[in-house]
Amino acid sequence: MGLLSNRVEKTEIKAGDHIYSWRAAYTYSHHGVYVGGSKVVHFTRKKDTSDSINSSSSSSLSSGVPSVCPTFPDCGFHQSNSGVILSCLDCFLGNGSLYCFEYGVPPSVFLAKVRGGTCTTAESDPPETVINRAMYLLQNGFGNYDVFENNCEDFALYCKTGLLSLEELGIGRSGQASSFFGVPLAALFSTPFKLLAAGPVGMATVTAGMYCAGRYITDIGVRKDVVKVAVEDLAANLGWRRCLKERAPGKDCDASVGVASIEEEKRQRL
């Protein structure tokens, strides 16, 4: 992997890696967790799992891949009413190339990456913890898919870090979502600085700076509204976002916590 590209070969990835592949001429990328044995656990819309892990309809998975995997009988396994899927690496990639998401990158490297959804300043947990989260969620689900708040990259980021956002509404943890919001917001907020920008080049420079700053402050490794959540608690509580919103940073969410202790934690945060 390098500064300009995170592309890797299949022989280079290890169990517990966060991998992704670009779709639709690099318009967006689909993310998953490599669990070893040429298998990937990933997250997509529930309706996309009704017939196969790939469909011809618009989805976060590529089309043109056989509905029945000729290599692995369990490829496409998922629980009913769940968008978390186990697939083989070849079916996950489709016709795309393989990329490996980077963790623990310095701010300078993060800002140098033009596209969001390729790296984070957050540190990854050990591979065995990552794989345990992914396999647990394969059996228990990861809630409802939302392209901005709870998507495939959010799933992989959670498996790798155990971090979830306290905010009930707004963008999730994914860099792709931040980029989608960041481009128009950068242009919007850079408008007051147009008098400081000497012509189109200056305006473009200001806009680019605002875009990079927006990406950085929404990175999961920088944000202050995230907490560590045990996977057992996440899967056991359908109202996990509401629970998280009431919890203090740095502590696991537990639905059994009383109102008094929650209020005490909120006071400590002030």
Side-chain angles (χ1 to χ4, degrees):
M1 294 187 292
L3 183 61
L4 298 180
S5 175
N6 291 350
R7 186 171 178 176
V8 294
E9 299 298 327
K10 293 179 182 179
T11 55
E12 296 181 76
I13 60 174
K14 300 180 293 294
D17 279 349
H18 173 175
I19 62 175
Y20 63 97
S21 182
W22 290 102
R23 304 285 199 254
Y26 292 89
T27 303
Y28 66 98
S29 56
H30 184 55
H31 296 244
V33 174
Y34 182 67
V35 295
S38 295
K39 301 291 180 64
V40 183
V41 178
H42 52 119
F43 181 54
T44 185
R45 297 180 188 277
K46 292 177 183 178
K47 66 179 181 180
D48 295 333
T49 67
S50 58
D51 297 317
S52 66
I53 64 167
N54 297 284
S55 68
S56 58
S57 61
S58 59
S59 68
S60 60
L61 298 179
S62 64
S63 59
V65 180
S67 59
V68 178
C69 177
T71 308
F72 295 98
D74 59 346
C75 181
F77 170 81
H78 64 92
Q79 297 291 353
S80 60
N81 200 36
S82 172
V84 182
I85 311 169
L86 176 71
S87 67
C88 72
L89 182 58
D90 288 339
C91 288
F92 172 82
L93 294 174
N95 298 321
S97 298
L98 175 63
Y99 296 81
C100 190
F101 197 98
E102 292 184 277
Y103 284 80
V105 302
S108 58
V109 174
F110 181 89
L111 292 172
K113 300 281 188 178
V114 178
R115 293 292 297 267
T118 61
C119 64
T120 177
T121 60
E123 296 289 342
S124 170
D125 287 330
E128 57 272 18
T129 302
V130 176
I131 295 170
N132 175 69
R133 288 186 185 123
M135 299 307 293
Y136 192 94
L137 294 175
L138 177 63
Q139 298 295 331
N140 295 277
F142 191 63
N144 295 321
Y145 184 95
D146 186 282
V147 68
F148 291 119
E149 294 185 24
N150 198 42
N151 57 41
C152 59
E153 186 183 345
D154 292 321
F155 171 81
L157 283 167
Y158 171 73
C159 289
K160 289 286 286 184
T161 66
L163 297 174
L164 286 175
S165 173
L166 285 163
E167 296 298 328
E168 186 171 4
L169 297 176
I171 61 173
R173 303 161 297 286
S174 72
Q176 286 190 96
S178 298
S179 294
F180 280 124
F181 279 105
V183 172
L185 286 178
L188 175 64
F189 287 110
S190 64
T191 301
F193 299 102
K194 61 185 178 181
L195 295 178
L196 302 178
V201 175
M203 186 63 180
T205 302
V206 172
T207 301
M210 295 293 293
Y211 167 72
C212 290
R215 278 187 54 231
Y216 181 71
I217 64 175
T218 56
D219 177 57
I220 192 173
V222 177
R223 291 170 61 167
K224 303 301 183 183
D225 64 334
V226 293
V227 291
K228 200 90 166 181
V229 182
V231 69
E232 295 81 6
D233 294 332
L234 171 68
N237 298 284
L238 296 178
W240 59 271
R241 277 192 177 272
R242 176 182 55 79
C243 177
L244 288 174
K245 193 175 182 181
E246 297 171 339
R247 296 291 292 172
K251 296 190 177 182
D252 285 356
C253 179
D254 186 345
S256 64
V257 175
V259 174
S261 61
I262 291 176
E263 291 300 323
E264 177 62 26
E265 289 173 335
K266 290 171 70 176
R267 284 194 294 270
Q268 293 175 0
R269 293 174 56 194
L270 298 177

